[in-house]
Amino acid sequence: RIGSATSLSSAIINNRLQELVKLFKERTEKVKEKLTDPDVSSEDESPTASPAAAPVPPPGGEPEGDKPAGDEHYCEMLCCTFKYSPWLDRLKNYRFPSSIDPLTNLMYVLWLFFVVMAWNWNCWLIPVRWAFPYQTPSNIHCWLAVDYLCDLIYLLDILVFQTRLQFVRGGDIITDKKAMKENYLRSQRFKMDVLCLLPLDFFYFKVGVNPLLRFPRCLKYMAFFEFNNRLEAILSKAYIYRVIRTTAYLLYSLHVNSCLYYWASAYEGLGSTTWVYDGEGNSYIRCYYWAVKTLITIGGLPDPKTLFEIVFQLLNYFTGVFAFSVMIGQMRDVVGAATAGQTYYRSCMDSTIKYMNFYKIPKTVQNRVKTWYEYTWHSQGMLDESELLVQLPDKMRLDIAIDVNYNIVSKVALFQGCDRQMIFDMLKRLRSVVYLPNDYVCKKGEIGREMYIIQAGQVQVLGGPDGKTVLVTLKPGSVFGEISLLAAGGGNRRTANVVAHGFANLFILDKKDLNEILVHYPESQKLLRKKAKKMLQNNNKPRDEKGARGDSLIIPPKADTPKLFQAALAATGRMGGKGPLAQLRWRLKELKMMQ
């Protein structure tokens, strides 16, 4: 009896060992598949690096990355230590660039600002010093000091900056020093720069310090217009600067007119007639007030008496009407360009409301449409992003799409391991859609034709018996619906309702667009098919009691004894009979005791 029981237990152990060998072989095959195809997504998380994996410092010394440098300096602030370099060292180590890109170099824009400030000094102060008695022998040295400082800025601009500007010739960007210098010397800019620095100041020794001899300094207007173009290119709201610049044009025309009026009054004699300036109060403010009333044609001015006064007033009226109309027109263009997007948004919204009223759309639907317009405009600043990028070349559109969407799409498990160029082509097919609160993104049972990537906002996955239980809340960066892009044979039906929790901005990729892309990437298509098949198989696995998907076990639990067999054994025990069942019952007891 003991021998028969031992043989039975050895047979059971052999069966268990065979099952173990079979399971180990299956696990080995899975590991081999992962090693040969590392792009296959795994359900397990990647193991974190252990401290033992940290680099070991070289023997007898500190780690290479922790070696303190002799020239490093640190400062403490708010319990934190920051490394910095003394400003004198930074100044000594600074090397002026051999070539300057005038389109993107911010240092060049800053330098143009100083050049424009010097140009404005000459344009605004030369007429004032010529007409008004503000330049006197007691303060002449101050005026001359600022004048020659401006001349120094002009000279540095010619010798240092303009000869280092890059330029394009035959499609190539030229950075050679000799070629850049020759290009500047042959340009119109160089001729005007030399003309504005004519040394007419030597005539001071003969005629005195006359500000009109510095009038050629005002010919450096090309630097002013270049500064405007560069500044508008880097400002986020350039229309504000355009409004300020147009207003400055108007103020400067009034400034010049006030200087001319004081000169005319001094020519006729201050207070000689009722038309000229009487010499009382602040001369510049009084003359500027007269210029404003004249150029804007407000009226209420004294009538001119002499022929000189009549001609001067007529020229003032003609110039004022022309200049003021030009300023008004330019201001209208600037404001119109600044509000062009808002005007387009209003026209689209008004047309939509008119359409809904014509067909008597319910007010609830109209309110949701209005809400969508307002949120889309305030969140994106436009109604359709594709309209903004349609004028850009394909390469620039790809660069923008990579910066905006690549970090999100690269995290999708379905696309990991695919051709990088295929991912780039897919980024250009993504389109942005805004969903209102409680809008259904997709419904259970629908045919899935899109994949969704959450850019902003949250969506909720609903399920349960009533279909209203929140199963999970997806946040920005999450992806859902990716299996539907490649599933076939009924596997592309939605399995749950997805609702926007609040305002949600989603990127959508259509199945049609993906199929058009995969035609050119057969290897990526095979990989995607394989991954989609595995993801579908994982989704169809039965769940255990806790709701998690059942994982394969190395040693599965022992199966329970069938109920019918247990009843037969119990009946045999009550009868106290002898026979095969009784012997089997006794052997099982022996085996249980051995275990």
Side-chain angles (χ1 to χ4, degrees), residues 398-504:
L398 176 60
D399 293 341
I400 295 177
I402 291 174
D403 292 336
V404 176
N405 307 327
Y406 183 75
N407 289 335
I408 298 177
V409 177
S410 61
K411 298 177 183 178
V412 181
L414 183 63
F415 300 120
Q416 290 179 1
C418 293
D419 193 310
R420 188 180 181 88
Q421 189 60 40
M422 189 214 76
I423 302 295
F424 291 164
D425 293 344
M426 189 178 63
L427 292 177
K428 295 185 291 185
R429 303 295 184 97
L430 294 177
R431 50 190 183 86
S432 178
V433 178
V434 174
Y435 288 89
L436 302 183
N438 300 322
D439 273 356
Y440 278 90
V441 180
C442 58
K443 292 186 177 181
K444 184 177 181 180
E446 288 182 345
I447 301 298
R449 300 183 181 88
E450 303 93 4
M451 180 191 74
Y452 301 92
I453 304 173
I454 303 177
Q455 181 191 18
Q458 298 179 357
V459 298
Q460 293 178 339
V461 181
L462 305 182
D466 56 351
K468 297 182 179 179
T469 304
V470 179
L471 302 179
V472 66
T473 300
L474 302 179
K475 297 182 178 180
S478 302
V479 180
F480 61 95
E482 66 271 23
I483 302 179
S484 300
L485 294 181
L486 296 170
N492 56 349
R493 288 190 177 272
R494 304 296 188 189
T495 58
N497 296 328
V498 181
V499 180
H501 181 57
F503 289 98

Side-chain angles (χ1 to χ4, degrees), residues 72 88 149 171 183 188 242 285 347 380 405 408 417 582 585 590 594:
E72 292 181 347
L88 284 177
L149 177 62
N183 179 70
Q188 183 70 21
R242 296 190 190 106
I285 298 298
S347 62
Q380 300 180 172
N405 307 327
I408 298 177
R585 183 169 179 269
E590 291 289 335
M594 290 175 62

Side-chain angles (χ1 to χ4, degrees), residues 46 107 110 115 199 206 226 389 400 464 480 489 494 497-498 566:
S46 301
M107 182 190 68
L110 180 62
V115 176
K206 187 174 183 180
E226 184 183 6
L389 305 178
I400 295 177
F480 61 95
R494 304 296 188 189
N497 296 328
V498 181
Q566 290 179 359

